[in-house]
Amino acid sequence: MPPILTRFIRHGMATLGIAALLTGCQGMPPAHLMPDLDDPLDSAPPIERGLDAEGFSTLLVAELSGQRGDYRRAARGYLAMAERYQATELAERATLAARFSNDPLLLEETVERWHQLSPTAEAPLRLLAGLALQRGDWVGALEKRLLLVEQGVHGELTLFMELALDAGVPPLPLRERMGEHLGRPGASDHPHYHDAVLAMAILEAATGQSQRAETRLDALARDHSELPALWMTRARLALGDGNTTQARDAARRGLEVSPDDPRFLLLLAQTELQLGNVAAAEAHTDTLLDEHEGNQELRTTLASLFLEDGHFEAARRLLLPLVSGEQPPPTAFYLLGAIAEQEGEVDNALLYYRQVASGDDFLRARLRAARMLIEDDRLLDARAFLRIERLRHDDHFNDLVMLEVELLDEAGMTAEADALLDRELARTPNDEQLLYLRAMRAWAEGDIEAMERDLGRIIERDPDNATALNALGYTLADLNIEGRLEEAREMIERAHEIEPGNAAIMDSLGWVHFRLGDPERALPWLERAYTAMPDQEIAAHLAEVLWVLERQDDARALVNEALQRFNEHPVVDDLLERIPELTP
């Protein structure tokens, strides 16, 4: 990198660049008083090394843009200069700006460039793995983690596989890739080789190869019995297979190896509960609580454990000390409400649910309380309860209205739900949240005119409401309403200007171009949308465009991926009805 550029990056543009400009300007006479002189640089050769005027200007604009909060422009500027000067530091700076830009595709572009400029750097690889997870590409995330492993870094593969299985990711592709990794020369020489072995055992167990998993773990135990992760994995796999006694034995061994690891105490409590040994489970939880005195979250987690297994008294004993304290956690009231509900004490449960303060459990408590009353044939009481809660918690007013609408729909009382929404909108006619909800209900009922009326009111009052612009534009495009496709395109393009990183809007842009008869222009938008947010609807749009562009093999491969990847795929199913030849 040119030395001047290195100094520029190290010391920061705001310090050197702006100070120099301000100092220079203070000493210069007004332009109209300066004599006309020939520019001495007119005949100078072009700058081929170092930071020339264009480079300096671009970097200065990028720095100032970042200070003004225009992170997208800042990232673009730094990225352009990273390309020009092949500067890793500028690619890193571009990534930092892109992280604040709310544009996932820009972030991925900057991180990819950072990785290309510094292939062995750990930070960009970890970021790329995280971005792949965000868009649901678990195999891609695994590839990045394996690159880290091949560079000698701990890839945390065991934790990764546990998260993947918890998320419902198909384990077979992950197992096949892990098999390739373990089969490469020198794989066993890695300092964290055991992590890859444990990850593989988890995948083998998840794909019905329990015996192979056990054999793999037995071999690891012969040489590395001191590894806590080994016994943690054995215990969890045994629990998953219903071998509770074996799981307890593995947890005990793990506690011997790592007596300070609270996870083994938690596993022991869990296994003892499943074996019906409540007193033994409580002994383990008491030990945990003694070691983590004052940890409210731990106490509520343990109470949930007892509650799930139906041991209400043990759960209550853990929770009551919390609600009698000075700052009781909302979760404690929620769990006490759940206990009372399970025991059939509806009114007592209602009292607990009402005491759940604002936070993660607030709406869940109100929903559960209202459903409990409805199941007790007390629909009027449920509605009265929600009405009172709206008065008590004005900051949750709309959330509680929408919750009641949902419950009325569940009860088959659609007319009452519509009346509630109309009544609240008559009181606050410009409430964008409720207008949008009513618009979506109208769309579901096929009343496009009513939907457009409510979305139009939102856009009239808030022309920068990207959600409303996209919803209306996409609906017009999807219905292929004659004479309104250009209008739809303009709305969607406006939404994209406001939220350039929104994958749903990119999908709408691609789809409206397709409806306008321009599949070539539609394709890159749909590809970008599917990369940023893999979704069955986007997959169907992209597959149809690929089919029209005579890329039949790519279209079939994408449909096959969607059918395997998504549990529900109604838009893909509709596509296959219209184009049966797409069936893989």
Side-chain angles (χ1 to χ4, degrees), residues 137 171 495:
D137 182 6

Side-chain angles (χ1 to χ4, degrees), residues 88-164:
T88 302
E89 295 89 343
L90 286 174
E92 183 177 358
R93 201 166 178 85
T95 300
L96 179 63
R99 292 184 75 168
F100 293 96
S101 70
N102 196 31
D103 187 340
L105 292 178
L106 176 59
L107 177 57
E108 186 138 8
E109 184 181 354
T110 58
V111 183
E112 280 284 6
R113 192 65 188 122
W114 182 10
H115 171 56
Q116 290 166 8
L117 290 170
S118 184
T120 60
E122 180 178 347
L125 275 174
R126 289 199 180 277
L127 277 171
L128 286 171
L131 290 171
L133 280 188
Q134 286 180 19
R135 62 174 184 268
D137 182 6
W138 287 81
V139 174
L142 176 59
E143 291 290 350
K144 298 299 185 292
R145 284 180 177 260
L146 291 178
L147 283 175
L148 286 169
V149 172
E150 289 168 12
Q151 293 172 15
V153 178
H154 190 1
E156 299 175 307
L157 299 174
T158 303
L159 175 61
F160 178 84
M161 298 312 171
E162 290 172 350
L163 292 173

Side-chain angles (χ1 to χ4, degrees), residues 15 48 77 81 86 111 131 151 220 224 243 278 318 337 365 398 400 442 446-447 452 485 550 571 580:
T15 303
E48 296 179 353
M81 291 300 96
Q86 296 294 289
V111 183
L131 290 171
Q151 293 172 15
L220 190 62
H224 297 283
N243 297 324
V278 181
L318 287 166
N398 282 358
L400 291 165
D447 190 347
E452 184 173 359
L485 289 178
E550 298 185 354
V571 184

